[in-house]
Amino acid sequence: MRYQAITWDRLAEELARHLDAPAPVGDGWLKVGIDGPPAALGGELAELLAKELRTRGRSVHLAGTDGFLRPASLRFEYGKQDPDAYYSGWTDVGALWREVFGPLEAGGNGRVLSDLWDPVTDRATRSPYVTLPPRGVLVLHGPFLLGHWFPFDLTVHLRLSPAALARRTEESWTLPAFARYEKEVGPGEAADVVVRADDPRHPAWTGIRR
């Protein structure tokens, strides 16, 4: 896999340019997934991309999987530091399909949620629905996004080497979950764009491979 040096701002510009190019999407919505461990800071790239798209006149709905966690009683059923539960049982995938992707399907009404569950209070956030207008863009960020068949139009994987991931991850008990993700999903091969982010000051990318 060949990488080219790039800045985060330039990366956001290139992704926005690709998404804003004429395409046969009609009045539908575009859906972007920014996949990567929390240590890769995917939320920051998502913010940059959203800002760049808005300067181009596109409406953007920005969301993170950390706003769609399952209740603590379900997340911690096997303990608070179970890597297998973290990998496959923390995110409420059904809620993402129902509250985010479903309304953006053909014939949908575009009414989506930014979040559903507050992990701090362990209560529903009761956030209001927002309507993403036709030709708007969903930008969803979080770990393990590529293993659920979400209908993304563009996927970006933020890649950390095992050494960098271990060094930058505070919750070291989660590391086996990312190793399992690499083995079972192969995000570096599945994503449309791979960004090497071992040194956050000097990212490099593959370009858009589709």
Side-chain angles (χ1 to χ4, degrees):
M1 192 176 297
R2 300 182 63 180
Y3 293 91
Q4 294 180 331
I6 196 169
T7 66
W8 292 110
D9 287 337
R10 178 67 185 279
L11 175 60
E13 291 174 6
E14 292 292 338
L15 295 175
R17 181 179 296 112
H18 173 78
L19 291 163
D20 199 38
V25 296
D27 290 330
W29 298 269
L30 289 174
K31 296 168 281 290
V32 182
I34 298 182
D35 170 70
L41 304 178
E44 295 186 5
L45 176 58
E47 291 277 3
L48 288 173
L49 176 56
K51 180 180 178 181
E52 185 64 30
L53 285 166
R54 288 170 180 143
T55 65
R56 294 169 174 268
R58 303 296 289 266
S59 296
V60 180
H61 180 70
L62 183 62
T65 58
D66 56 357
F68 289 87
L69 296 180
R70 302 172 78 197
S73 60
L74 299 176
R75 297 199 313 276
F76 304 147
E77 182 178 1
Y78 301 103
K80 293 186 176 182
Q81 296 187 351
D82 185 287
D84 290 327
Y86 176 66
Y87 176 67
S88 61
W90 276 36
T91 300
D92 192 339
V93 174
L96 282 170
W97 277 105
R98 182 178 67 252
E99 306 292 356
V100 179
F101 289 104
L104 303 182
E105 293 179 350
N109 59 17
R111 293 181 70 247
V112 293
L113 281 177
S114 298
D115 52 55
L116 184 65
W117 198 261
D118 186 336
V120 176
T121 63
D122 200 35
R123 296 178 181 273
T125 58
R126 301 188 184 279
S127 295
Y129 284 90
V130 297
T131 299
L132 185 63
R135 299 195 76 251
V137 183
L138 165 71
V139 180
L140 178 68
H141 62 89
F144 315 129
L145 285 183
L146 303 182
H148 302 291
W149 300 100
F150 290 142
F152 291 119
D153 297 286
L154 182 70
T155 52
V156 180
H157 174 61
L158 302 182
R159 191 173 191 84
L160 295 178
S161 67
L165 180 62
R167 184 172 64 250
R168 293 170 54 186
T169 298
E170 294 182 3
E171 303 287 348
S172 60
W173 62 268
T174 64
L175 294 175
F178 294 107
R180 179 180 171 187
Y181 184 54
E182 285 287 336
K183 180 178 180 180
E184 295 185 358
V185 177
E189 291 71 41
D192 302 311
V193 177
V194 179
V195 180
R196 189 174 62 198
D198 286 2
D199 183 345
R201 300 167 299 176
H202 303 290
W205 77 320
T206 58
I208 299 171
R209 302 187 295 180
R210 63 188 310 178

